[in-house]
Structures are given as C-alpha cells and as structure tokens.
Amino acid sequence: MRILLVEDDIEQLEPLHTALSEAGHIVDGVKNGEMAQWVLSQRDYDLLILDWLLPEVSGINLCRQYRQMGKTAPVLMLTARDTISDKIMGLDAGADDYLVKPADVFELLARIRALGRRSPLWKGDILELVDLRLHIPTLTVERHQVEIQLSTREFQLLEYLMRHPQQVLTRDQIEQALWEWGSEPESNAMTALVRRLRQRLQPLGASAWIETVYGMGYRINPDVQS
C-alpha cells in the first residue's frame, strides 16, 4: 500500500518509515500538518497514519479535512493522547483505528494489514485475483501450487496492478504509486521492473497477464490465456 505517515518527531518518524518500507509498503513521511495538507492535495494514498499533536495543523484537523474532501482511504491515529474521550474524538473525526504511543511495531503492522483487507479482493492476508494469490506477509505470489518469492519492488508493482484489475494504469500513475515523494525513477526503471515481474510470473503461467497498452501504460488482465 501507499501510505502517508505524518509524524513530527524525527526519532519516531524514521524507524516507523523503515519498518513500513520493509513490510513492502511505499511510504511518504512528512513532519507537519501543513506539508501533509499539500501532499494530500497532490496524491492519493491507500492509508494515512496521523499523529495528533502536529505543528501547523493538528492530526485531528487533518483527519476531519480529509473526510470533508470526500476521501475514503483508512486513517489510523497514532498518538500519545490516550484518554477515552481522546479516542472517541479521534474516531468521530473520521479515523478508522486508534493506536496509543508507544506502539509495538508488530501490532501497528497488523492493524495496517487489517485496514488494507477491507477491499473485497482480499482474503485474509492474501490478495486474490482469479487464481493468482499474493501473500502479503511473505511477499510471495502463488498459482497452481507453485510459489515465487518477489523482491519488494516487484511485490509493490504486482499488488498495485492486482488492486486495479483490468484497468489501464498510466506510467505516471504507477510511478506515483510506487516511488516515494522526491525519488523519481530513472527513465528505464519502469520498463525494467515490468520485465522482471513478467519473468517472475512465467513459472506460474501468468506472465502474459501483464499487458502493455501502447501509448498509455500497463494493465493486469487475467482473461489473457498463458
């Protein structure tokens, strides 16, 4: 998933950013509410993790504004505010989950997986498209009882394509989904990544599922026989 992490404490932001990235997510980390407002006006995210006590604009106000914009991605409040009234206020502002600091990183990752499973494509920790199954905790893909280990970047691309089945995704959309803010890919990076993913899917008989739509981008199409 592409996650926006808003945390003003750099000593908490960096280890959280690392843990989320190692779990296969694409993470944009920002340190204040005003910057978060701007980033949210530029990009879509699959999940937001918001601290409450932020400079410029508080996390609770960010959450309210995000919902007022009609955005529906899950929001997880991660904050030191721990009273029952705080939790009620956070959830009423539009948060889907609430976790009190200091939080165990494994619990945080489990809650993120739970929020991500709200799509009907998910079966537990597995993202399923026809008979192709992407196992989130192990970054593996499986079909016909053959299982292949993916690199983090291959996993991120396949997850993004599988969450938008049969939809043509432009190169710009894929780049925005897979590369963090400020880390634009080299010109041939997308082509090379798609080629590697097709090679990975070859033993599963699904390499042709990744279609190139010339002049537009790519799509995953399970109707293609391979």
Side-chain angles (χ1 to χ4, degrees):
M1 288 192 290
R2 185 173 194 94
I3 296 175
L4 177 64
L5 171 62
V6 190
E7 169 61 70
D8 65 317
D9 184 346
I10 192 69
E11 293 187 1
Q12 297 189 49
L13 177 65
E14 290 184 349
L16 280 175
H17 190 290
T18 299
L20 293 170
S21 298
E22 289 178 349
H25 302 294
I26 303 103
V27 185
D28 288 331
V30 300
K31 294 184 284 187
N32 66 68
E34 194 171 49
M35 176 62 77
Q37 283 179 318
W38 184 80
V39 170
L40 286 170
S41 72
Q42 302 295 312
R43 284 192 168 182
D44 290 325
Y45 289 89
D46 301 310
L47 177 83
L48 279 61
I49 301 176
L50 305 178
D51 186 13
W52 186 318
L53 303 173
L54 294 169
E56 313 295 344
V57 180
S58 71
I60 197 81
N61 283 332
L62 265 178
C63 185
R64 289 195 186 100
Q65 292 167 9
Y66 186 70
R67 293 303 183 216
Q68 287 167 1
M69 292 164 61
K71 301 286 189 177
T72 58
V75 175
L76 190 156
M77 294 294 299
L78 181 61
T79 172
R81 297 185 61 149
D82 61 354
T83 68
I84 295 297
S85 60
D86 288 335
K87 295 175 184 176
I88 292 171
M89 190 181 303
L91 295 170
D92 283 348
D96 299 88
D97 199 0
Y98 195 105
L99 191 58
V100 175
K101 296 178 184 176
D104 182 275
V105 69
F106 294 105
E107 180 181 358
L108 174 63
L109 293 174
R111 289 184 184 234
I112 290 170
R113 290 197 296 273
L115 291 169
R117 287 197 296 265
R118 294 185 174 186
S119 164
L121 293 170
W122 291 88
K123 312 291 183 189
D125 283 336
I126 298 172
L127 179 58
E128 195 170 71
L129 181 62
V130 191
D131 55 359
L132 191 70
R133 296 156 63 88
L134 189 63
H135 296 258
I136 306 306
T138 56
L139 307 191
T140 56
V141 61
E142 173 231 331
R143 186 183 185 219
H144 298 163
Q145 300 181 324
V146 178
E147 188 170 287
I148 301 294
Q149 182 73 49
L150 300 175
S151 71
T152 299
R153 189 59 90 194
E154 292 160 358
F155 168 85
Q156 290 168 342
L157 174 57
L158 185 56
E159 182 199 12
Y160 185 61
L161 292 171
M162 288 178 68
R163 284 195 291 107
H164 303 84
Q166 295 183 313
Q167 177 181 335
V168 178
L169 300 167
T170 66
R171 296 174 70 92
D172 186 56
Q173 283 177 303
I174 296 173
E175 287 178 6
Q176 286 200 17
L178 267 63
W179 272 266
E180 295 178 12
W181 194 270
S183 60
E184 303 303 323
E186 294 181 4
S187 59
N188 65 342
M190 177 76 65
T191 303
L193 179 58
V194 171
R195 183 171 59 247
R196 288 205 311 272
L197 181 58
R198 284 185 175 132
Q199 290 171 347
R200 293 286 192 188
L201 295 178
Q202 206 159 23
L204 309 181
S207 58
W209 286 24
I210 311 296
E211 292 185 314
T212 300
V213 182
Y214 291 101
M216 298 182 69
Y218 301 96
R219 71 178 166 194
I220 187 166
N221 184 3
D223 291 338
V224 174
Q225 298 299 313
S226 54

